[in-house]
Amino acid sequence: MPADRLRIALWQCRSVADDVEGNLDRLEQAASEAAEADADLLITPEMYLTGYNIAPSTARRLADPVDGKLGDAVGNIARRTGIAILYGCAELDGSGVYNTVRLVDADGISLASHRKTHLFGEIDRDAVAVGVSSPPVIDVGGWSLGLLICYEVEFPELVRDLAVRGAEVICVPTANMPEYDAVQTVLLPARALENTVYVAYANYCGVEGDLAYGGLSEGIGPDGRVLARAEREPGLLIVDVERKVLDDARERFTYLADRRTDLLS
């Protein structure tokens, strides 16, 4: 029987580059705060553990192997605080460095990972290789979560594919800038409504090097309604995902059921 509710904590924080140990300490503090708020899942921004606006050499130096010690450390944090965590990092696999999100459950067990498939400008292309696998859909607490990273959610076909594969909540660690606020104010409500899914979007705020981040982390309901939206400052945003709201939205907005797949290429 699917759970009636999933409580998600979206962590809007400042990016601190090249301070992995400090970032782990801050992550444990955020996870403890989220757990105290009775959240089931904490979502960090994109490449949280290493910083996002970093040189290619720094990304390679800080990148965690697939079964590396940073993954173990986050698993221990999840186990100590009793909350699932979706976090971003640079990941090393062979000679390749990837922009990756990893999901661990409240027992610290690795559930899934995803490498960014749609890279944003030279800042991504200089530092990381492109992911080649479709984003996963994974169960957490009786809810099907689809995993995307930042720029990917701006491509409607990616979100639609996740929804068709059963995703009910699209989780998006991100590093978005103020000049692209339209993503939060226009695109995300549309993505949620047209696919009747929840969207949980966790962004940075503040400045990292020469890059400013726009905040506006938010949770969107499956009817396109903004459930909660942060401002520009750091904070923890709590969003409740509810089964009845999802069921009602899918009964009212029947886009998924009404698709003419025979006309699609």
Side-chain angles (χ1 to χ4, degrees):
M1 183 74 176
D4 291 335
R5 188 201 75 179
L6 185 74
R7 177 163 286 183
I8 300 174
L10 304 173
W11 187 24
Q12 182 167 294
C13 59
R14 301 185 189 279
S15 180
V16 183
D18 204 355
D19 183 19
V20 172
E21 290 303 317
N23 288 335
L24 285 169
D25 289 341
R26 287 181 281 272
L27 176 61
E28 182 148 15
Q29 292 171 9
S32 296
E33 184 179 342
E36 289 174 3
D38 199 29
D40 304 292
L41 170 67
L42 172 68
I43 302 178
T44 81
E46 180 178 9
M47 287 183 70
Y48 166 74
L49 285 184
T50 54
Y52 174 70
N53 185 27
I54 55 178
S57 58
T58 304
R60 180 168 295 277
R61 174 170 55 83
L62 299 179
D64 192 42
V66 174
D67 296 315
K69 63 179 183 180
L70 298 186
D72 291 341
V74 176
N76 289 334
I77 290 171
R79 187 164 49 251
R80 285 194 295 269
T81 56
I83 188 172
I85 300 173
L86 176 63
Y87 68 99
C89 67
E91 182 176 73
L92 182 66
D93 189 359
S95 62
V97 176
Y98 298 90
N99 179 336
T100 299
V101 293
R102 297 169 171 174
L103 177 64
V104 297
D105 69 11
D107 294 319
I109 297 171
S110 176
L111 298 180
S113 66
H114 169 57
R115 294 170 177 171
K116 195 174 186 179
T117 60
H118 290 60
L119 301 183
F120 179 78
E122 297 307 312
I123 191 170
D124 273 354
R125 297 187 186 102
D126 287 347
V128 297
V130 63
V132 297
S133 298
S134 297
V137 177
I138 189 73
D139 180 271
V140 172
W143 286 82
S144 294
L145 309 186
L147 307 185
L148 292 177
I149 303 172
C150 197
Y151 192 41
E152 292 180 318
V153 77
E154 300 172 40
F155 292 83
E157 56 271 32
L158 289 181
V159 183
R160 175 54 53 87
D161 176 65
L162 287 170
V164 169
R165 288 194 279 129
E168 298 164 323
V169 185
I170 308 299
C171 300
V172 193
T174 192
N176 197 32
M177 290 74 82
E179 56 265 40
Y180 302 109
D181 279 353
V183 173
Q184 290 98 309
T185 61
V186 177
L187 288 187
L188 296 188
R191 294 290 170 270
L193 175 59
E194 69 195 3
N195 295 289
T196 52
V197 292
Y198 283 92
V199 175
Y201 187 88
N203 194 19
Y204 286 120
C205 60
V207 175
E208 181 188 23
D210 61 354
L211 194 63
Y213 300 110
L216 305 187
S217 299
E218 62 184 0
I220 309 291
D223 55 2
R225 183 167 53 94
V226 177
L227 303 176
R229 179 182 287 157
E231 298 296 334
R232 304 291 190 184
E233 297 303 315
L236 201 64
L237 194 68
I238 302 298
V239 178
D240 283 336
V241 168
E242 298 179 84
R243 180 67 54 189
K244 185 178 186 307
V245 173
L246 180 67
D247 291 343
D248 288 348
R250 290 187 168 180
E251 183 175 349
R252 187 159 32 117
F253 302 105
T254 56
Y255 302 123
L256 294 178
D258 293 342
R259 289 180 313 126
R260 285 288 306 277
T261 56
D262 57 309
L263 301 179
L264 302 177
S265 59

